[in-house]
Amino acid sequence: VGYNLGDITESFATGNVVTGSILANPGISTGARVAAGGLVANNIGNIGSSYTTGDVETGSVPFGDAPTRAGGLVGNNGGFTAQGSIDESYAAGEVTGGQGANLGGLVGSNGEFEFSSGDVTDSYWDVDATGQTESDGSDNTFGLNTEQMTGEDALNDGNIGAFDESTWNTVTDPVGYPVLDAIDEDSQTTTVGPTPASAVSSVTAPDVTADGTTAGGTYSAGLDESVEVPVTFTLTDGSI
C-alpha cells in the first residue's frame, strides 16, 4: 500500500518491496520524499494485528532532499496533518537503504514532524531478520531475536507477550513466526530454519569415519539450491 488513510487489520504481506533512487544534478533538491514499507509506505491511518516477512529496500535521493525512509512494516508513520497508528503487529524481513536513509526494523520514520508523530504500541520486529536494532517510535526492547519470535513460545511473556492469543497462533511444525487465526495458516508463509523433509527429493550420503562410538558427516539434499545438514551416527554392534 502506498498511502493508508483508513484501517488495515489482520493482514499480512510476504513479498519484497524495492524503491529506486532519485537522480538530480549535485546540490539541486527535488523536494522528493521517498518511503518504503513491507505493508505500507506512508501510514496516516490505523494498522492493527498485521505482519510482514518480505524484505524492504530503498535507494538514495539527492543531497538536500529529505532522507529516504524504510521500515519492515511501515516506511513513514504519520504525515503533515494526521498521525498514524500501529498496534499488535510485527516485521521479520531484511531492511536496507541507500546512504543516509532512515531505517527501522518496524518503522523507518515515525512522522514527518514532531506534531505529527504516530503511535506505535505492542509491536515487534526481528533484529536478526531485519538487520535493525532500532525502530523509530518504539523502545528497543520490542526488537527481539528470531528464537524469541518463533516456535511454541513466541507468544509467551518476555517474547511477543503483548499479542492477543485469540488473534494469533504459534507455528511449530516446522518452526515459524506467529500467524493470524482468522486466515488459513497454509496461505501464510512464516516458517524459518531447515527445509522440511517433505521438500527433499533425493539425498546423497557421504563417507564417514568413526571413533569407536560415533561418526559424523554431511548429507547433501537434492533441492532447488544446495542444502547441507550435519548429522551424527550412533554405532550399533560395530555398524552404522
Side-chain angles (χ1 to χ4, degrees), residues 43-76:
N43 180 49
I44 55 176
N46 305 303
I47 298 173
S49 302
S50 298
Y51 71 87
T52 58
T53 58
D55 298 339
V56 179
E57 178 184 354
T58 186
S60 303
V61 295
F63 176 79
D65 278 7
T68 60
R69 295 145 294 168
L73 187 80
V74 172
N76 183 64

Side-chain angles (χ1 to χ4, degrees), residues 31-131:
R33 296 180 180 274
V34 179
L39 186 67
V40 175
N42 294 279
N43 180 49
I44 55 176
N46 305 303
I47 298 173
S49 302
S50 298
Y51 71 87
T52 58
T53 58
D55 298 339
V56 179
E57 178 184 354
T58 186
S60 303
V61 295
F63 176 79
D65 278 7
T68 60
R69 295 145 294 168
L73 187 80
V74 172
N76 183 64
N77 187 43
F80 288 107
T81 59
Q83 297 176 329
S85 71
I86 300 170
D87 181 58
E88 203 172 308
S89 299
Y90 75 81
E94 185 179 22
V95 180
T96 57
Q99 184 175 0
N102 291 337
L103 305 178
L106 188 76
V107 174
S109 178
N110 192 41
E112 294 276 358
F113 305 101
E114 183 176 352
F115 64 81
S116 64
S117 295
D119 294 322
V120 183
T121 55
D122 295 340
S123 295
Y124 303 82
W125 70 96
D126 185 329
V127 297
D128 298 324
T130 64

Side-chain angles (χ1 to χ4, degrees), residues 195-212:
T195 303
S198 60
V200 178
S201 59
S202 64
V203 175
T204 302
D207 294 331
V208 296
T209 57
D211 63 6

Side-chain angles (χ1 to χ4, degrees), residues 10-33:
E10 297 189 23
S11 300
F12 72 97
T14 60
N16 299 332
V17 176
V18 180
T19 65
S21 299
I22 297 175
L23 303 178
N25 293 327
I28 297 178
S29 174
T30 66
R33 296 180 180 274

